[in-house]
Amino acid sequence: MNERQRTLRPGGRSARVGAQVHQAVTDLIRERGYGNFTVGEVATRAGVADSSIYRRWGSLETLLTDVALTRLNAQSPMPDTGSLAGDLRAYAAQVAREITGPDGPALLHLAVALSSSGQQGLQAGADLRAERTRQLQSMLDHARDRGEHAPDAFDVLDHILAPMYIRVLFGMGPLSSDYIDGLVDRLL
């Protein structure tokens, strides 16, 4: 084995296949909606065998849950602008870019569909909320450490994120910076 072969990261193909499958699911949801495709169609779109999907995820619902959790809770650096208002504006703008991007509406629709599709879906919804809450809590704790009064993480979810999600889910217009800033101002 040569030196180059030893330095290659194991799992590179696995990560690539996972990304291809996730993208195939997202594309199919955007094109057809939740529940309107099979594992075989995902496999064909991703260029993998359906047995690979079953081996890794076990079922279509488990795959869909993994896609929603992974894509909607992508780890992004939490803003640190020096003020809670600035952090919340930057975070809200970042979330707005995520949910209005090419895959955002499809992923939001998937999250809603999963959260109403039995026990596994309820767990997926709880996991999504828990991760968003954890992200927000770190920002709010940092603001408190600076001596600022910070709202509860659920208040941020209710007053900033939920209205943005609703606007995207129901096609109620753009998430302009003025709209996002207004959400933050009303909360604070």
Side-chain angles (χ1 to χ4, degrees):
M1 182 182 291
N2 68 34
E3 186 62 33
R4 171 139 170 80
Q5 288 173 320
R6 272 189 229 126
T7 61
L8 290 177
R9 196 180 89 199
R13 182 181 184 287
S14 178
R16 186 174 58 255
V17 166
Q20 289 169 311
V21 169
H22 277 218
Q23 189 60 52
V25 166
T26 304
D27 291 346
L28 285 165
I29 291 167
R30 185 176 44 236
E31 293 167 16
R32 301 182 191 174
Y34 175 77
N36 296 317
F37 54 88
T38 66
V39 168
E41 290 169 311
V42 172
T44 298
R45 177 77 59 106
V48 301
D50 56 352
S51 60
S52 296
I53 292 174
Y54 283 115
R55 186 172 40 257
R56 186 167 182 173
W57 287 280
S59 71
L60 182 58
E61 187 168 74
T62 302
L63 170 59
L64 295 173
T65 300
D66 184 51
V67 169
L69 289 170
T70 301
R71 300 290 295 273
L72 288 174
N73 283 328
Q75 294 297 323
S76 302
M78 293 307 290
D80 187 5
T81 65
S83 74
L84 179 59
D87 291 351
L88 285 171
R89 282 185 178 86
Y91 181 74
Q94 175 183 307
V95 170
R97 282 189 300 277
E98 291 170 5
I99 65 175
T100 60
D103 299 335
L107 292 168
L108 282 179
H109 284 282
L110 173 59
V112 169
L114 284 171
S115 67
S116 61
S117 67
Q119 188 59 36
Q120 186 173 1
L122 291 173
Q123 185 59 51
D127 291 347
L128 285 165
R129 283 188 307 278
E131 181 57 24
R132 282 288 192 204
T133 301
R134 187 198 62 73
Q135 292 171 352
L136 290 169
Q137 195 60 55
S138 70
M139 179 192 335
L140 299 171
D141 289 345
H142 191 63
R144 286 185 190 100
D145 291 344
R146 289 189 303 250
E148 294 180 84
H149 173 73
D152 181 82
F154 286 109
D155 287 335
V156 177
L157 288 170
D158 286 341
H159 297 282
I160 297 176
L161 298 182
M164 292 192 313
Y165 291 170
I166 292 298
R167 278 188 168 234
V168 170
L169 284 169
F170 293 104
M172 298 170 56
L175 299 178
S176 68
S177 58
D178 287 341
Y179 175 75
I180 293 167
D181 289 348
L183 294 173
V184 172
D185 291 344
R186 283 189 294 278
L187 174 62
L188 296 178

